[in-house]
Amino acid sequence: MLSHLPNLGVGLGFRELFKSELFLNRQPVDFLEIVAEHYLDAPAAKQQELELLAAHFPIIPHAINLSLGSAEGLDRDYLAKLAALIKQLNPPWWSEHLCFTKAGGIDIGHLSPLPYTREAVEVVCRNIAEVRRRIDVPLIVENITYMVALPGGEMTEAQFLAEVAERADCGLLLDVTNLYTNAVNHGYDVQQFLQQLPLERVVQLHFVGGHWHDGILIDSHSHSTPAEIWQLMDEVVANFPVKGIVLERDENLPAFAELVAELQQARHIAGSHGKWV
């Protein structure tokens, strides 16, 4: 199912602050990833912005607030709006996080980790099945960062990701920064993590740099990508059938040329492993 997806190349998470510079430097950007929530119930100006972006770049919608891990089920009004946006853009795939953001009817405003249990796998797969009834575009799910590992886990984080992807027949958005951050903060082995993932299901990567605070690595999307993450990206691209890589910078935005330089480095890594040439 996933092998037929197109190779999109090296992309950028779109942020309105660099829209002008993006259009002055379109060549290094193969595709854009948009935050879906920015265009749900969008005013005319945002709708026009979306149409402009879609006229010049392939667009991948990246959702934040579907809450695939909510045991109470999905917000159907939200799902209907998300389905309409994806239908409008007709992307080759779209993405959401493997987490929950709503509980007991309350939007908690945060990507919260799930317990790595069989019951949680069942909940997520049931919710993804409902999503599939509304959206027939392939879904890829992303690993998040977390400060506290929930007690009662019956499997590792990687086993949980793999189980959901296999049971729900969806792809993976492997955020290599999140993977590195969790490995540092929770002391697990990155190699063992990668070995537990279903190789053929890794479709897209995210990367960016974070910062240190009181001995904890924070996934703040606020700094240039460090050497450790470039090295991890190189290893993943060499061994997984990655079809797209996205730089996801949100805070402390540098000159656009610095973003372009990071995209070029990612392109160099892909090219060194025979991807997209």
Side-chain angles (χ1 to χ4, degrees), residues 2-177:
L2 300 171
S3 61
H4 75 284
L5 295 178
N7 292 317
L8 291 189
V10 179
L12 185 60
F14 174 71
R15 305 296 181 258
E16 191 173 355
L17 288 173
F18 56 62
K19 180 169 67 176
S20 297
E21 291 180 284
L22 170 66
F23 277 93
L24 291 172
N25 299 274
R26 285 165 44 189
Q27 193 276 331
V29 182
D30 295 330
F31 71 103
L32 294 177
E33 184 184 76
I34 61 161
V35 176
E37 281 73 11
H38 292 174
Y39 302 96
L40 304 180
D41 297 320
K46 291 298 286 182
Q47 186 59 232
Q48 291 169 2
E49 176 183 85
L50 182 59
E51 292 169 3
L52 177 66
L53 296 175
H56 293 86
F57 298 94
I59 302 288
I60 296 296
H62 183 49
I64 294 175
N65 206 23
L66 183 54
S67 197
L68 286 172
S70 285
E72 67 208 57
L74 302 176
D75 180 333
R76 293 182 177 173
D77 290 338
Y78 174 94
L79 178 58
K81 294 173 185 175
L82 182 61
L85 175 70
I86 293 171
K87 183 177 182 180
Q88 174 187 349
L89 294 170
N90 190 29
W93 68 78
W94 67 284
S95 57
E96 177 52 283
H97 302 81
L98 193 50
C99 68
F100 73 97
T101 62
K102 300 170 186 173
I106 297 173
D107 190 333
I108 59 178
H110 186 71
L111 303 179
S112 297
L114 296 167
Y116 301 137
T117 63
R118 293 177 182 83
E119 182 178 15
V121 170
E122 294 292 338
V123 166
V124 172
C125 291
R126 185 175 66 230
N127 286 338
I128 291 177
E130 180 174 357
V131 169
R132 280 232 166 98
R133 290 192 285 273
R134 299 297 303 269
I135 303 173
D136 61 2
V137 173
L139 165 65
I140 62 174
V141 292
E142 177 179 0
N143 57 311
I144 68 167
T145 57
Y146 50 90
M147 290 295 102
V148 177
L150 299 184
E154 298 169 326
M155 58 191 85
T156 67
E157 179 189 354
Q159 289 169 336
F160 185 77
L161 280 170
E163 184 76 7
V164 168
E166 295 285 8
R167 290 274 304 279
D169 191 20
C170 60
L172 293 172
L173 194 180
L174 182 60
D175 189 315
V176 290
T177 299

Side-chain angles (χ1 to χ4, degrees), residues 210-231:
H211 74 277
W212 288 92
H213 180 75
D214 288 342
I216 301 294
L217 185 55
I218 305 295
D219 174 38
S220 53
H221 295 194
S222 59
H223 289 76
S224 59
T225 305
E228 295 86 351
I229 298 210
W230 288 120
Q231 183 177 348

